[in-house]
Amino acid sequence: MARYLLGRLGQSVITLFLVSIAIFAGTRAMPGDPALLLAGEDSSQETLDAIRERLGLDQPLPVQYLTWLGQMARLDFGDSVRTGLPVSETILSRLPVTLELAFLSLLVAAVIGILGGVVAALRQGRPADWIANTGALLGMSIPNFWLGLMGILLFAVALGWLPASGYVPLGESLGGNLASMVMPAIVLGTALAAVVMRQTRSSMIEALSSDYIRTAHAKGLAPAWIVLVHALRNSMVTVLTILGLQLGSLISGAVVTEQIFVLAGFGNLMVESVFTRDFPVIQATVMVTAAAYILVNLIVDLLYSVVDPRIRAQGGTR
């Protein structure tokens, strides 16, 4: 197991290194000049040269990359070109909003998706199965922005139950925080719940037709125990993979939802930095996203061995 973990950590470092090359090349290939954006269209050449020298943009690209890589190794993301503030402080101020949104969306997706998938598998071919499949199809088909706008019109404008936009920090008011995050979490988690439901249903149907389930019935075990402890547990490997992969995408892919509900989160920061050619912020946000993907996948791999002891045994022999 230790060798397996070391191997995965080595793969993670190599992946981050390759991602850093792609990020640096991508940002430098973007059209537009950050110095010109900062100084304005009517600025003199001397002013532009001074800004480029201050930002290190007058250095050869390999020198710029190695300088940035050295800073990243020390967890120094530099200063924002647009605001002058340290990038790490900017990210830390935005990240909690997105992490909370991603966690609540994942919770919504897991509860609705797993519950719907189990019911659909147990009632295969019956009305409950049809309703669950129809709901999953709608969840995957409806765009987030449309669902968000309809939610605002119904629950904020017509009924007045929830705020239409804005974010209330958890430390200020628990009720206000939950009220401001309910709609964004449901909007962002709906599509994922549909995917989780479909995968849970397929895995459960396969598990329920297995020999060990028939053996459990023959031994006289309670049906609820067979479903929850034997069938559902063995079906969770596929579901865990989906949830793990989607958590990374939720962190970086909440851009549309944050824009609709005016949440000053991580996705919003990425969009702002791209529009203003804020290279240090772009590079730092993408690196943080890549690191989050890798970390979540590593955690999911470790959870496999907890859910399925056969995987633990295979890992121990490596």
Side-chain angles (χ1 to χ4, degrees):
M1 193 64 180
R3 184 183 298 177
Y4 172 70
L5 280 176
L6 288 176
R8 286 304 312 271
L9 289 175
Q11 293 173 6
S12 302
V13 172
I14 294 173
T15 304
L16 279 177
F17 175 68
L18 296 176
V19 168
S20 71
I21 295 176
I23 293 170
F24 185 83
T27 52
R28 293 309 186 271
M30 290 172 63
D33 184 355
L36 190 61
L37 286 172
L38 284 174
E41 295 288 341
D42 300 328
S43 56
S44 64
Q45 185 62 42
E46 290 76 14
T47 304
L48 293 175
D49 291 342
I51 293 175
R52 291 192 184 105
E53 183 179 0
R54 178 169 61 86
L55 299 177
L57 298 175
D58 58 336
Q59 299 293 321
L61 287 179
V63 175
Q64 292 184 40
Y65 173 72
L66 291 177
T67 302
W68 173 66
L69 199 61
Q71 292 175 340
M72 295 293 290
R74 300 192 301 273
L75 297 180
D76 178 9
F77 298 132
D79 296 331
S80 168
V81 172
R82 183 169 57 93
T83 64
L85 297 172
V87 176
S88 56
E89 290 184 9
T90 306
I91 290 177
L92 288 175
S93 67
R94 301 289 193 96
L95 201 54
V97 180
T98 301
L99 287 179
E100 182 182 355
L101 177 60
F103 173 75
L104 292 176
S105 303
L106 202 67
L107 188 63
V108 169
V111 172
I112 297 176
I114 293 175
L115 186 61
V118 170
V119 172
L122 293 175
R123 297 289 184 268
Q124 187 181 4
R126 299 179 184 177
D129 186 21
W130 302 338
I131 293 171
N133 278 306
T134 303
L137 185 61
L138 288 174
M140 289 188 286
S141 305
I142 297 175
N144 281 354
F145 71 89
W146 186 87
L147 188 61
L149 292 176
M150 293 302 104
I152 290 174
L153 285 175
L154 177 61
F155 295 106
V157 178
L159 300 175
W161 291 352
L162 297 170
S165 61
Y167 174 75
V168 178
L170 192 61
E172 288 185 11
S173 169
L174 176 60
N177 175 266
L178 292 177
S180 65
M181 296 298 280
V182 165
M183 269 202 294
I186 292 176
V187 168
L188 192 59
T190 300
L192 178 56
V195 177
V196 172
M197 178 266 158
R198 298 283 296 177
Q199 291 296 330
T200 305
R201 178 182 179 276
S202 301
S203 301
M204 280 292 294
I205 289 175
E206 183 180 352
L208 289 171
S209 60
S210 302
D211 291 338
Y212 66 88
I213 295 295
R214 283 192 285 272
T215 303
H217 282 293
K219 290 170 67 177
L221 296 179
W225 181 267
I226 294 173
V227 170
L228 296 177
V229 176
H230 294 283
L232 182 59
R233 181 176 179 180
N234 288 315
S235 305
M236 289 304 292
V237 172
T238 307
V239 178
L240 276 177
T241 303
I242 295 172
L243 291 176
L245 292 175
Q246 291 299 321
L247 179 59
S249 65
L250 287 176
I251 293 173
S252 60
V255 177
V256 175
T257 306
E258 289 181 357
Q259 291 280 345
I260 292 173
F261 293 98
V262 197
L263 299 174
F266 193 70
N268 229 332
L269 178 63
M270 293 178 73
V271 174
E272 293 172 1
S273 62
V274 169
F275 279 125
T276 56
R277 304 294 187 273
D278 199 341
F279 288 167
V281 177
I282 296 173
Q283 293 168 165
T285 52
V286 180
M287 280 299 290
V288 169
T289 303
Y293 262 104
I294 292 170
L295 179 63
V296 168
N297 276 283
L298 182 62
I299 293 174
V300 169
D301 283 349
L302 296 178
L303 286 177
Y304 285 161
S305 61
V306 177
V307 174
D308 192 341
R310 294 171 297 180
I311 298 177
R312 189 187 313 164
Q314 291 171 5
T317 59
R318 296 184 183 189

